[in-house]
Amino acid sequence: MYYKVLLVDDEILVRDAIRENLDWNGLGYELVGDCSNGKEAMEFVKKNDVDLVITDICMPFVDGMQLSEFLYNNYPEILIIVFSGFGEFEYAKKAIQYKVSEYILKPVTALELSEVLTRLKDKLDRQSFQEKKLEKLQKAYKNYRKNESLIASRSLCNLIMGTQDITITTHELEELGFQFQASDYRVAVADIDIYSSLYEVDENSKKESALMSFVVENISNEILEKNNAGVAFKDTNNRVFLLLHTNTPKEFLKQTQVICREIQECVFDAMKLTVSITIGQYVQKLEELHLSYDDAMQALAYRYAKGDSMLVDCELSRDKFDHEVVQDKWMTQLKNAVKGNQIDEIESAFSDLEQFYANQFIKRDRIIINMQQISRELVDLSILLKGESDWNDKRNQLLNSIIKSKSCQQAVEKVKEYAISVAEELSDSVSTSAQRQAMLAMSYIKDNYWKADLNLNHICNYLNISTSYFSSLFKEATGETFMEVLIRVRMDKAKELLEQTTLKNYEIAERVGFSDPHYFSISFKKMTGMSPTEYAKEKRRND
């Protein structure tokens, strides 16, 4: 089988050279077409099967960037190779976020392109294999409810949950070929993260989860069978359970972790879905399996703090469960940072808190209570320093948003933003009038630097103060004059545009508020010691 390639370049000589100088079939490909621009390529892809698109960046009508975006949004399975001239190369690497597999700098040699195609063939082979495997599983799923697998799953669920007399359950399973002669057993649960209770699951997602959990079940059984470690099966809620058995529990403890990690990795490779797995305690009797099942199910509650793709072994982690949250010292540090409007310190404090939650085993309810306590402390601090209680409405909105958060990370982020807003409000309330005026002026400059006619009068009219008074207070508050700040802001933006775009110098000058490109170049060199062109070349060389 040959993978189908579409070549897109507005230079016919380039297309001819690439078409004629590569051994397409020898590399495992077939060149099915070539187009002179992205617009033609879009129409070709709509009407023909294509596995790989090779495209230039600069083309008329629709360029390579727009074509890559179109493919990313409409044909995500198609791989993309981009080649471009030196002037666009760094821009292409930074700007394109459309699943581009390779970037090649022009001129392209046959050897270089052949090496890239060889690498991508391996990726296409793996992609094709996974697609065929998933198609096979989809066909198998249609017959799933008609065969004895469904009966076995029901009996195995009764066994691990203890919902039926153990004698009846074991008899049913023995008739289906299951033998239970191990010394120790464990129950694990594998739950696909996006279908968990932390996310909004609509009817379409529920139907999709049935197929996806069937794939997880099949992958898990393949791995368990290979390791002679147990059996996997689904329940009616589309969770997958692993009934694990061993005669050497001490050695099996480590092997269980390896098996579960392999299941997680294989599921992600096959479907790009993350799975959280929790493993219950060891039991020696089948009638005690419900204890291990209860362990595993309760441990799923730690996913809120630990995030997706969690792996928790209750035998290894039980002494860490539900530790008290450290509060007093941390809260004192946070309050001090808020009082001083130290944004970096506030962000660092919440980063530490989030890391603490991730390293411990703390359930959702306890984290939410902790977040509410922090919020109340922040409100009390605001009332104490400002003598006002207008933060209560904001706090109530925050508490509702915390409750609705789908993860610990989301909840921490919301409270962090709230803490920063408190710090900024408190800072504003204790600032002098001059400091507030200077802050408003800085904000106005950053919002309007691009206007070529921006001057001192504009600022003073905006603030409704005289030019002489403003000049004095601004210099005192910032240590710089109005023009020094304006030029610095404009030059900082110019540097960003020179580093991240291929705009001409006169275009950049216009975008940062200079009507005269020559004056822009003089000002830029005065501040940086380099001309705009020299600066752009230096940055690209370093990158």
Side-chain angles (χ1 to χ4, degrees), residues 86-135:
F86 179 78
E88 311 112 19
F89 189 60
E90 293 302 322
Y91 174 57
K93 287 201 300 182
K94 291 180 180 178
I96 297 180
Q97 299 176 358
Y98 306 124
K99 197 184 172 184
V100 174
S101 298
E102 295 281 348
Y103 302 89
I104 307 176
L105 186 63
K106 294 171 70 174
V108 183
T109 66
L111 176 61
E112 184 179 13
L113 187 53
S114 295
E115 290 174 348
V116 170
L117 289 170
T118 299
R119 286 200 301 272
L120 289 187
K121 184 177 182 299
D122 292 337
K123 187 173 182 178
L124 285 164
D125 286 342
R126 291 193 301 272
Q127 188 171 295
S128 176
F129 173 78
Q130 292 297 347
E131 287 173 356
K132 290 178 180 177
K133 186 174 181 180
L134 187 56
E135 183 180 351

Side-chain angles (χ1 to χ4, degrees), residues 264-280:
Q264 290 177 320
E265 291 168 4
C266 290
V267 169
F268 187 80
D269 288 343
M271 300 183 296
K272 297 299 180 284
L273 292 177
T274 59
V275 175
S276 288
I277 302 179
T278 53
I279 313 160

Side-chain angles (χ1 to χ4, degrees), residues 295-396:
D295 257 4
M297 290 298 293
Q298 290 173 18
L300 282 176
Y302 300 117
R303 176 164 45 190
Y304 183 81
K306 290 192 165 293
D308 294 346
S309 201
M310 171 184 71
L311 177 58
V312 175
D313 189 327
C314 295
E315 288 285 349
L316 299 175
S317 309
R318 193 175 306 281
D319 60 335
K320 301 177 183 177
F321 287 173
D322 299 321
H323 276 188
E324 290 297 326
V325 178
V326 178
Q327 254 310 348
D328 293 342
K329 183 179 179 182
W330 181 89
M331 195 67 223
T332 299
Q333 292 173 341
L334 177 63
K335 283 183 178 179
N336 289 336
V338 169
K339 289 177 185 177
N341 194 25
Q342 298 169 304
I343 305 302
D344 288 345
E345 292 297 322
I346 294 172
E347 291 180 340
S348 176
F350 280 100
S351 177
D352 290 344
L353 183 64
E354 185 177 322
Q355 190 61 46
F356 172 80
Y357 287 144
N359 290 337
Q360 301 299 318
F361 292 83
I362 305 172
K363 292 180 179 177
R364 178 179 179 275
D365 290 348
R366 184 164 296 190
I367 292 174
I368 288 176
I369 291 172
N370 189 221
M371 292 290 98
Q372 291 173 334
Q373 289 172 339
I374 294 170
S375 301
R376 281 192 288 270
E377 292 268 11
L378 291 170
V379 169
D380 291 344
L381 178 64
S382 174
I383 294 172
L384 175 66
L385 296 180
K386 290 185 64 179
E388 301 174 4
S389 58
D390 58 338
W391 286 96
N392 282 299
D393 289 342
K394 290 183 179 180
R395 188 201 66 180
N396 291 335

Side-chain angles (χ1 to χ4, degrees), residues 331-485:
M331 195 67 223
T332 299
Q333 292 173 341
L334 177 63
K335 283 183 178 179
N336 289 336
V338 169
K339 289 177 185 177
N341 194 25
Q342 298 169 304
I343 305 302
D344 288 345
E345 292 297 322
I346 294 172
E347 291 180 340
S348 176
F350 280 100
S351 177
D352 290 344
L353 183 64
E354 185 177 322
Q355 190 61 46
F356 172 80
Y357 287 144
N359 290 337
Q360 301 299 318
F361 292 83
I362 305 172
K363 292 180 179 177
R364 178 179 179 275
D365 290 348
R366 184 164 296 190
I367 292 174
I368 288 176
I369 291 172
N370 189 221
M371 292 290 98
Q372 291 173 334
Q373 289 172 339
I374 294 170
S375 301
R376 281 192 288 270
E377 292 268 11
L378 291 170
V379 169
D380 291 344
L381 178 64
S382 174
I383 294 172
L384 175 66
L385 296 180
K386 290 185 64 179
E388 301 174 4
S389 58
D390 58 338
W391 286 96
N392 282 299
D393 289 342
K394 290 183 179 180
R395 188 201 66 180
N396 291 335
Q397 293 175 5
L398 175 63
L399 296 183
N400 289 331
S401 67
I402 291 171
I403 293 172
K404 294 178 181 178
S405 295
K406 302 303 180 184
S407 67
C408 172
Q409 292 87 344
Q410 286 184 14
V412 170
E413 182 65 24
K414 292 179 187 299
V415 180
K416 181 185 75 175
E417 292 173 356
Y418 180 64
I420 291 173
S421 71
V422 172
E424 291 172 344
E425 288 285 340
L426 292 177
S427 177
D428 288 346
S429 71
V430 298
S431 293
T432 65
S433 174
Q435 288 173 323
R436 285 199 298 274
Q437 298 278 34
M439 181 191 68
L440 290 172
M442 290 291 290
S443 177
Y444 188 89
I445 292 170
K446 290 179 180 178
D447 289 340
N448 296 277
Y449 70 90
W450 53 273
K451 297 178 180 178
D453 63 344
L454 179 63
N455 58 40
L456 189 61
N457 287 329
H458 287 114
I459 294 281
C460 293
N461 288 336
Y462 171 70
L463 297 175
N464 197 29
I465 58 177
S466 69
T467 55
S468 59
Y469 176 65
F470 169 78
S471 297
S472 175
L473 74 85
F474 190 81
K475 176 74 173 180
E476 181 179 351
T478 67
E480 297 177 286
T481 67
F482 161 76
M483 284 306 300
E484 287 172 342
V485 171

